[in-house]
């Protein structure tokens, strides 16, 4: 039971940290009801605004949950529809919002800036109205055995593919769907799968769900380290999964030279067994680094997935997948026993978005705006003594003294970020948080100041 008089701090950040410690050590148990804001304020001699800010901080950090008039409770409910690591990422925060005109000091009263989601800024997405109005196929047309990809869309995708020729190409229901379907075709139970760490939590959970064993690889500012990949290959993995640009969570884009060196390493696999490479280019049209693929050197081993969620909207649910026909055609054949194909109506919408100049221009502008936002945030953090490199896309990987303390302290200031633990495949935590800096539209210095304060916050226990 929470005893307000046992709490020493009188700031929202301090109170949030103290209560989070009580949850961590088991003093407060899941499902326990906390005092009301008015009751806590009266017992502590504080304003209701300070206590309300404390409750918001704990909610954003995923420590407590509000049930309206029933009160605030230590979080207990499970989210079974989420994979294990992604469940750990979820903070229960709301929709992303633009940075307000001022952060309102360290109390964070009434301020919410959600930088935890890893989703694009809605204001940067092209309008779908024109594309929808010009989409030619009607929902009631088409035959079940028609080609799974509209010929015009196929040609448009091939024309902009990162290699001159691609043996086979199809469309799927988002980048993760493409990765999932490829993993299902090439990973057998017990296979080792080399993955970036830090990397995307869904990929780790996907590998495990398929019966594979994730093998973490080390990376630097150019991508996966060739020496790390060479060590992993000695253990004979069947598959390598990597992100080519705007790597989530680090924001690193792989250089062409690094891609060449990785391809060279893969050509020397012990025993001559070819490793299948699955490339995730989820931020293709908003990343500023040039397109890169290992298929330039080892085309028979590479399946490249190009996503459009970051550039055109997560709810569009469409991505392109290209690579060796022996793999792509198996994926197409398996989909015919499930969804069949990706909606040709959506395919027609994507075709318009990729070819109509009035839809292409906003995406090109968004790429430059995201680049500017991340550059300004990285520069502001460097001035405060924090180096986050030169991230691409929309995310940056912030080093902190203690991950959980940073999440709680930022939440107390009205800022939500994603805890770094779920982004690590195995081994010790790196003490980082992921910040979707592409959503910071103004007041960069104030946000950077808050991030720096959180980065130095001492452990909660």
């Amino acid at each position: 039971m929470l005893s307000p008089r046992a709490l020493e701090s009188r700031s929202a950040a301090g109170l949030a940290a103290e209560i989070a410690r009580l949850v961590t050590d088991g003093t407060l148990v899941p499902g326990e009801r906390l005092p009301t804001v008015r009751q806590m304020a009266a017992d502590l001699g504080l304003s209701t605004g300070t206590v309300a800010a404390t409750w918001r901080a704990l909610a954003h950090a995923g420590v407590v949950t509000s049930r309206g008039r029933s009160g605030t409770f230590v979080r207990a409910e499970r989210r079974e529809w989420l994979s294990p690591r992604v469940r750990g990422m979820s903070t229960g925060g709301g929709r992303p919002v633009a940075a307000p005109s001022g952060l309102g000091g360290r109390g964070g009263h009434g301020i919410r800036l959600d930088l935890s989601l890893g989703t694009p800024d809605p204001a940067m997405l092209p309008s779908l109205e024109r594309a929808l109005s010009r989409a030619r196929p009607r929902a009631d047309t088409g035959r079940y055995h028609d080609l799974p990809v509209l010929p015009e869309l196929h040609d448009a995708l091939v024309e902009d593919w990162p290699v001159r020729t691609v043996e086979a190409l199809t469309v799927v229901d988002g980048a993760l769907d493409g990765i999932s379907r490829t993993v299902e075709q090439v990973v057998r139970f017990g296979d080792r799968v080399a993955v970036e760490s830090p990397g995307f939590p869904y990929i780790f959970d996907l590998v495990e769900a398929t019966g594979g064993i994730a093998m973490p690889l080390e990376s630097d500012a150019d991508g996966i380290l060739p020496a790390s990949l060479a060590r992993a290959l000695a253990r004979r993995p069947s598959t390598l999964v990597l992100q080519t640009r705007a790597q989530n969570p680090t924001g690193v884009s792989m250089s062409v030279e690094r891609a060449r060196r990785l391809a060279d390493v893969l050509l020397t696999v012990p025993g001559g067994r070819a490793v299948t490479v699955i490339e995730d280019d989820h931020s293709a049209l908003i990343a500023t680094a040039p397109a890169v693929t290992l298929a330039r050197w080892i085309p028979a081993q590479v399946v490249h997935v190009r996503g459009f969620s970051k550039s055109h909207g997560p709810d569009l649910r469409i991505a392109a997948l290209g690579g060796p026909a022996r793999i792509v055609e198996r994926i197409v054949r398996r989909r015919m026993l499930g969804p069949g194909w990706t909606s040709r109506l959506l395919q027609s919408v994507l075709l318009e978005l990729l070819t109509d100049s009035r839809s292409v221009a906003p995406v090109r502008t968004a790429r430059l705006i995201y680049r500017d936002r991340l550059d300004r945030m990285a520069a502001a953090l460097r001035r405060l003594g924090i180096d986050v490199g030169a991230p691409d896309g929309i995310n940056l990987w912030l080093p902190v003294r203690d991950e959980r303390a940073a999440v709680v302290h930022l939440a107390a200031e009205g800022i939500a970020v994603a805890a770094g633990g779920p982004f690590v495949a195995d081994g010790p935590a790196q003490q980082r948080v992921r910040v979707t800096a592409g959503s910071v539209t103004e007041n960069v210095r104030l946000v950077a100041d808050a991030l720096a304060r959180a980065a130095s916050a001492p452990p909660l226990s």
Side-chain angles (χ1 to χ4, degrees), residues 378-391 396-399 432:
L381 289 169
R382 275 195 301 272
R383 286 193 291 270
L384 295 169
I386 301 175
D387 184 10
V388 294
L396 61 82
W397 192 227
L398 181 75
R432 300 256 184 166

Side-chain angles (χ1 to χ4, degrees), residues 57-65 75-95 114-118 200-202 205 403-404 407 411 416-423 434:
L58 292 167
H60 286 167
V63 178
V64 304
T65 183
R75 185 176 290 282
E77 73 268 21
R78 297 178 61 81
R79 298 178 176 182
E80 297 295 345
W81 65 91
L82 298 175
S83 64
R85 287 181 180 83
V86 179
R87 203 177 299 151
M89 287 172 56
S90 179
T91 63
R95 297 173 180 269
D114 198 338
L115 306 180
S116 71
L117 300 177
F200 193 39
Y202 275 104
D205 288 337
E403 171 188 311
R404 191 156 187 243
V407 171
V417 296
F423 295 92
R434 188 193 66 182

Side-chain angles (χ1 to χ4, degrees), residues 69-157:
R69 292 183 178 180
S70 296
T72 299
F73 297 79
V74 176
R75 185 176 290 282
E77 73 268 21
R78 297 178 61 81
R79 298 178 176 182
E80 297 295 345
W81 65 91
L82 298 175
S83 64
R85 287 181 180 83
V86 179
R87 203 177 299 151
M89 287 172 56
S90 179
T91 63
R95 297 173 180 269
V97 296
S101 57
L103 290 179
R106 296 192 63 180
H109 294 238
I111 301 300
R112 290 182 60 204
L113 177 60
D114 198 338
L115 306 180
S116 71
L117 300 177
T119 51
D121 180 350
M124 293 293 101
L125 300 175
S127 171
L128 296 181
E129 289 184 23
R130 178 176 171 80
L132 284 167
S133 67
R134 289 168 56 89
R136 293 178 182 175
R138 290 174 44 182
D140 60 350
T141 63
R143 293 181 296 275
Y144 286 113
H145 298 158
D146 281 350
L147 289 172
V149 185
L150 294 177
E152 300 88 348
L153 177 59
H154 179 279
D155 293 345
L157 292 169

Side-chain angles (χ1 to χ4, degrees), residues 10-86:
R10 291 299 180 266
S11 70
L15 286 170
E18 284 192 67
I19 295 171
R21 280 194 292 270
L22 294 174
V23 174
T24 299
D25 66 22
T27 301
L28 297 177
V29 298
E32 183 170 336
R33 187 178 187 276
L34 301 182
T36 66
V37 169
R38 289 185 181 278
Q39 181 183 342
M40 278 286 288
D43 288 344
L44 296 174
L46 298 174
S47 71
T48 56
T50 298
V51 178
T54 301
W55 265 215
R56 284 195 300 272
L58 292 167
H60 286 167
V63 178
V64 304
T65 183
S66 173
R67 299 179 189 168
R69 292 183 178 180
S70 296
T72 299
F73 297 79
V74 176
R75 185 176 290 282
E77 73 268 21
R78 297 178 61 81
R79 298 178 176 182
E80 297 295 345
W81 65 91
L82 298 175
S83 64
R85 287 181 180 83
V86 179

Side-chain angles (χ1 to χ4, degrees), residues 33 47 106 109 169 180 206 412-413 449:
R33 187 178 187 276
S47 71
R106 296 192 63 180
H109 294 238
L169 185 145
S180 172
L206 172 62
E413 300 207 38
D449 286 345

Side-chain angles (χ1 to χ4, degrees), residues 180-250:
S180 172
R181 292 185 178 280
T182 309
V183 166
E184 289 171 355
Q185 292 297 326
V186 301
V187 176
R188 295 164 298 187
F189 186 85
D191 276 3
R192 293 186 175 94
V193 179
V195 297
E196 301 164 302
S197 183
F200 193 39
Y202 275 104
I203 291 176
F204 307 152
D205 288 337
L206 172 62
V207 168
E208 292 176 4
T210 311
I213 301 169
M215 298 173 52
L217 301 176
E218 300 172 19
S219 302
D220 65 9
D222 288 316
I224 294 170
L225 292 169
S228 179
L229 177 60
R231 289 192 296 270
L233 292 181
R235 300 183 65 190
R236 302 177 65 83
S238 68
T239 312
L240 163 64
V241 184
L242 59 87
Q243 301 172 64
T244 55
R245 290 187 284 182
Q247 200 261 7
N248 189 350
T250 64

